[in-house]
Amino acid sequence: MKYAVRAIKYFFYYLILLAVILAVLRLLHVVEGDITQMFRNGYDSLWQIALMFAVVAAAYPYFGFRKQGVIVPGAYEEIRPGVVALMQERGYELEKEDGENLTFRLRNRVNRIARMWEDRITFTRDFHGFILDGPTRDTVRIKSALEYKFRNND
């Protein structure tokens, strides 16, 4: 269900982005105000563009969000302060703590809006550390930072 909601959300995001770009181009008198003049195929171009956006929006949640494990040795009570501090350094705030599971959200509201409120990163406690769930680009960076911070320096 979450996948379908994200796909629909991104589809409308792309449509709104296209409308804003076309409006700006129209206000700057770069393109004509008539759809038949804007696009080669006129009104047929609208459903073609919508179909292209639908394909991209349907694929994006598969590649844009990920669950991955991160190895963080130690007891939860020992590593929790370090995890929370690292996330605060990266602009996140602790939203919820459920047992040994943590959920973080971005503090900056502008970034939250730019990401369409898809900024949540969930840390689910695992035997070796945590399972991170969130946007791929963020989880990869956070995984690397956590493993670097908590690596054993023998």
Side-chain angles (χ1 to χ4, degrees), residues 4-17:
V5 169
R6 284 179 175 159
I8 292 167
K9 189 185 286 189
Y10 278 97
F11 175 73
F12 285 109
Y13 176 75
Y14 296 143
L15 289 180
I16 292 168
L17 187 62

Side-chain angles (χ1 to χ4, degrees), residues 135-153:
T136 300
R137 70 180 188 174
D138 295 334
T139 57
V140 168
R141 291 177 184 155
I142 291 168
K143 175 185 177 178
S144 177
L146 282 170
E147 288 180 344
Y148 179 79
K149 183 172 185 149
F150 289 102
R151 72 173 186 248
N152 291 332
N153 293 328

Side-chain angles (χ1 to χ4, degrees), residues 49-107:
I49 292 170
L51 181 64
M52 180 187 65
F53 285 165
V55 169
V56 171
Y60 183 75
Y62 180 76
F63 297 106
F65 297 89
R66 155 188 296 196
K67 281 186 180 181
Q68 64 180 357
V70 57
I71 298 172
V72 182
Y76 178 75
E77 295 77 25
E78 297 170 0
I79 61 176
R80 183 196 175 280
V83 170
V84 172
L86 182 118
M87 292 301 287
Q88 287 177 343
E89 290 170 11
R90 294 186 171 268
Y92 287 86
E93 63 186 357
L94 184 62
E95 178 187 41
K96 181 172 66 172
E97 185 169 4
D98 184 25
E100 294 186 349
N101 301 328
L102 305 167
T103 303
F104 294 91
R105 299 291 305 256
L106 282 172
R107 280 192 305 257

Side-chain angles (χ1 to χ4, degrees), residues 14-57:
Y14 296 143
L15 289 180
I16 292 168
L17 187 62
L18 175 66
V20 168
I21 290 170
L22 291 176
V24 168
L25 290 174
R26 175 66 183 110
L27 290 173
L28 296 174
H29 302 289
V30 176
V31 296
E32 294 292 324
D34 185 23
I35 296 290
T36 58
Q37 297 295 319
M38 272 189 214
F39 300 110
R40 181 183 312 164
N41 296 331
Y43 284 97
D44 282 342
S45 295
L46 296 179
W47 70 263
Q48 293 168 352
I49 292 170
L51 181 64
M52 180 187 65
F53 285 165
V55 169
V56 171

